[in-house]
Amino acid sequence: MDIEEKIRKIEDEITKTPYNKATSHHIGKLKAKISKLREESIKKSSSSTKGRGFTLKKTGDSTVVLVGFPSVGKSTILNQITNAQSKIGAYEFTTLDVIPGVMEYRGAQIQIFDIPGIIAGASKGKGRGREILSVARNADLVVMVLDVFNPHHKELIMDELLNIGIRPNQTAPDIKVKRRKIGGIKVASTVPLTHMDEGTIRSILNEYGVHSADVLIREDVTIDRFIDSLDNSIVYIPLLMVVNKIDLAEESYLKELHEKMQDALYIAADKGMMVDELKEEIFNRLKLIRIYLKPQGKKADLNEPLIVRDGSTVEDVAGRLHRDFLKNFRHAKVWGSSVKFPGQKVGLDHVLEDKDVLRIIIKK
């Protein structure tokens, strides 16, 4: 019996088991088994596909992957927002390989990948699906592209992403499990737990081979979220949903669709409609900021900013520039919204904001 057959068998058992307090331990154990099998499947897939089709070299400031069913317009989007030239055709599987492009925006070099269209069951290996989706696992942002007349594909794609170990628009569970050699399992929580009890927690941990540990939980965690905290293969990636080909739909249909999917961006890529807004949204979702560097005795270079992640500190920037900036760091001066007055002296732990001007002073 292969991994997918084992997973299906366990999923059938979960479906047939009524969920209540008495069965929660058993269901938790079954879900943990599925998680372990999927983690095994992802590891097996990544090791068996090394050297084949979809190994990518990441460059630039961030990486974005376009995910969607065949013929939704991903290639057109790629051509509109980057310097790439991807084949375009109104038939399935136009893109048979991963096509890279670079979107230059606000001084940032953002790498965009157009991957082959996925199909239902991709995460289980259909249509080279695991290889294709593995590209998305390494992205800084996933852009889900939907055809305006097939919005139901959203749920199908979301299931495929979840099955491959991607948690779109989620943060990692606020849970700490510190394993010990003896002493059993001790659970502490800073919030009331309404979705699971200590018995369920112990059942799940035992399934993972953990019999002694200190568990600290800081959120009202569900069984699935608790299992995710134990699964090393899970990745947490922001997702932007894009509905394409809106020029083909009537206004009344679009209005109704917008009410159902308010968090999506609506575009017509082949007409260039909302393309600039798409670039802006990609930049914002990546949470990138621009830092202008000011060498000693010179003006700040306002033409070529250093692109860093929101929340970056002076230490992060100094480390990116050169290790000597950290080794010989004396202090820094900052002009911008992150300081109270222009040229304020700050230390390595100072958090920078968009468009700050930074000057690093090192020991002589």
Side-chain angles (χ1 to χ4, degrees):
M1 189 184 297
D2 66 16
I3 290 176
E4 290 306 326
E5 286 179 305
K6 289 178 182 176
I7 289 174
R8 280 195 293 273
K9 190 175 179 181
I10 298 170
E11 285 176 337
D12 287 342
E13 187 176 348
I14 291 173
T15 303
K16 292 173 184 175
T17 305
Y19 184 82
N20 53 53
K21 193 172 182 180
T23 62
S24 63
H25 301 182
H26 179 60
I27 289 174
K29 202 161 190 173
L30 292 175
K31 286 188 172 185
K33 283 182 179 179
I34 290 176
S35 178
K36 284 178 67 182
L37 287 169
R38 284 196 173 132
E39 185 178 1
E40 182 185 336
S41 177
I42 290 167
K43 287 178 181 176
K44 188 177 179 182
S45 175
S46 61
S47 62
S48 64
T49 57
K50 282 180 181 176
R52 292 171 60 192
F54 301 107
T55 302
L56 302 175
K57 183 179 179 182
K58 293 177 73 170
T59 61
D61 298 302
S62 284
T63 300
V64 177
V65 171
L66 305 177
V67 173
F69 274 62
S71 303
V72 294
K74 292 186 285 87
S75 297
T76 307
I77 291 173
L78 183 76
N79 293 340
Q80 286 279 11
I81 65 175
T82 76
N83 56 6
Q85 284 299 313
S86 183
K87 292 179 183 177
I88 300 171
Y91 50 90
E92 292 192 351
F93 299 103
T94 306
T95 307
L96 296 176
D97 211 338
V98 176
I99 309 297
V102 175
M103 183 180 93
E104 297 184 0
Y105 192 74
R106 292 194 186 179
Q109 302 274 319
I110 300 170
Q111 194 175 33
I112 313 283
F113 288 119
D114 174 19
I115 65 175
I118 65 171
I119 57 176
S123 59
K124 297 172 184 175
K126 290 184 181 178
R128 296 179 74 189
R130 282 205 192 98
E131 294 170 71
I132 294 167
L133 288 170
S134 67
V135 180
R137 283 178 52 84
N138 295 315
D140 298 305
L141 172 69
V142 171
V143 175
M144 181 196 293
V145 184
L146 301 171
D147 186 296
V148 69
F149 296 115
N150 292 297
H152 60 282
H153 284 169
K154 171 191 171 184
E155 283 73 27
L156 295 172
I157 295 171
M158 200 66 79
D159 284 344
E160 299 300 329
L161 294 175
L162 292 172
N163 288 341
I164 204 71
I166 296 173
R167 298 294 180 264
N169 292 335
Q170 292 186 29
T171 56
D174 197 352
I175 299 167
K176 301 292 181 192
V177 177
K178 187 177 180 181
R179 302 190 185 203
R180 290 185 286 105
K181 291 183 179 179
I182 57 172
I185 292 171
K186 297 178 181 178
V187 180
S189 62
T190 59
V191 295
L193 300 179
T194 63
H195 303 290
M196 59 193 303
D197 57 22
E198 287 193 20
T200 305
I201 291 169
R202 288 191 175 89
S203 294
I204 294 169
L205 287 171
N206 290 342
E207 188 62 35
Y208 272 86
V210 179
H211 302 285
S212 290
D214 292 325
V215 182
L216 177 60
I217 303 174
R218 292 193 180 95
E219 67 172 82
D220 187 12
V221 70
T222 61
I223 289 176
D224 292 328
R225 290 273 289 168
F226 186 78
I227 291 171
D228 280 353
S229 72
L230 303 171
D231 188 342
N232 294 325
S233 71
I234 299 297
V235 291
Y236 299 88
I237 305 173
L239 180 142
L240 169 62
M241 191 160 47
V242 173
V243 177
N244 192 25
K245 306 181 183 178
I246 61 171
D247 56 312
L248 304 179
E250 293 186 3
E251 195 172 328
S252 57
Y253 173 82
L254 285 175
K255 186 177 179 182
E256 186 179 332
L257 184 61
H258 191 273
E259 288 176 0
K260 293 178 182 177
M261 299 168 60
Q262 295 182 14
D263 54 343
L265 185 67
Y266 293 79
I267 72 169
D270 63 343
K271 298 291 191 298
M273 290 173 56
M274 298 292 287
V275 169
D276 288 340
E277 287 80 358
L278 174 58
K279 290 181 179 181
E280 175 76 11
E281 195 61 29
I282 287 173
F283 185 89
N284 290 338
R285 293 293 180 102
L286 287 168
K287 295 186 176 178
L288 300 174
I289 62 172
R290 295 155 291 180
I291 303 299
Y292 300 105
L293 301 175
K294 186 182 186 305
Q296 189 170 356
K298 296 181 181 179
K299 291 184 178 180
D301 184 354
L302 301 179
N303 294 319
E304 293 189 21
L306 180 70
I307 305 297
V308 296
R309 288 297 177 93
D310 188 24
S312 293
T313 63
V314 171
E315 183 176 8
D316 295 326
V317 173
R320 274 191 60 178
L321 294 173
H322 199 280
R323 60 187 178 189
D324 285 348
F325 281 99
L326 279 178
K327 184 180 177 182
N328 301 316
F329 181 83
R330 204 165 130 205
H331 63 264
K333 288 188 176 182
V334 176
W335 294 257
S337 57
S338 72
V339 290
K340 294 178 181 178
F341 56 87
Q344 182 177 326
K345 188 186 291 187
V346 299
L348 287 171
D349 60 349
H350 179 76
V351 179
L352 298 161
E353 294 183 9
D354 189 35
K355 295 184 181 180
D356 274 357
V357 174
L358 172 67
R359 178 186 162 198
I360 296 175
I361 293 95
I362 59 175
K363 299 170 187 173
K364 293 182 180 179

